[in-house]
Amino acid sequence: PFQWQWLYQLLVEGSTLAFFVLTGYKFQPAGDNPYLQLPQEDEEDMQMEQIMTDSGFREGLSKVNKTAGGRELL
């Protein structure tokens, strides 16, 4: 009947809402998720890593600016 057509749309929208709420609840992030944990490094490890990553690639180099006339400024 014509007066009950809105009930079909209400059921469709309600079931869609229930589906998304249930999906969001089931797949919420867990508190002890190993993929979301930050690495716990102490200060010595960080200093050692900095020493290991610093290379002497730019050691002794200086930047040279050129003017419109072609002369070099140091």
Side-chain angles (χ1 to χ4, degrees):
F2 176 73
Q3 66 268 22
W4 297 107
Q5 285 185 348
W6 63 271
L7 190 58
Y8 174 74
Q9 290 297 322
L10 179 68
L11 291 174
V12 168
E13 296 295 329
S15 63
T16 303
L17 176 65
F19 171 75
F20 283 111
V21 168
L22 183 64
T23 303
Y25 177 73
K26 289 288 186 179
F27 292 101
Q28 66 184 351
D32 58 347
N33 190 345
Y35 297 111
L36 297 178
Q37 293 177 355
L38 295 175
Q40 302 294 327
E41 295 182 359
D42 59 345
E43 193 172 317
E44 288 182 20
D45 290 339
M46 291 175 62
Q47 288 177 350
M48 187 57 123
E49 184 177 323
Q50 184 180 9
I51 292 171
M52 297 295 282
T53 57
D54 290 344
S55 65
F57 178 69
R58 292 186 180 185
E59 193 172 312
L61 296 178
S62 63
K63 185 175 179 180
V64 176
N65 294 328
K66 292 195 174 201
T67 62
R71 296 183 311 198
E72 296 179 356
L73 296 175
L74 298 178

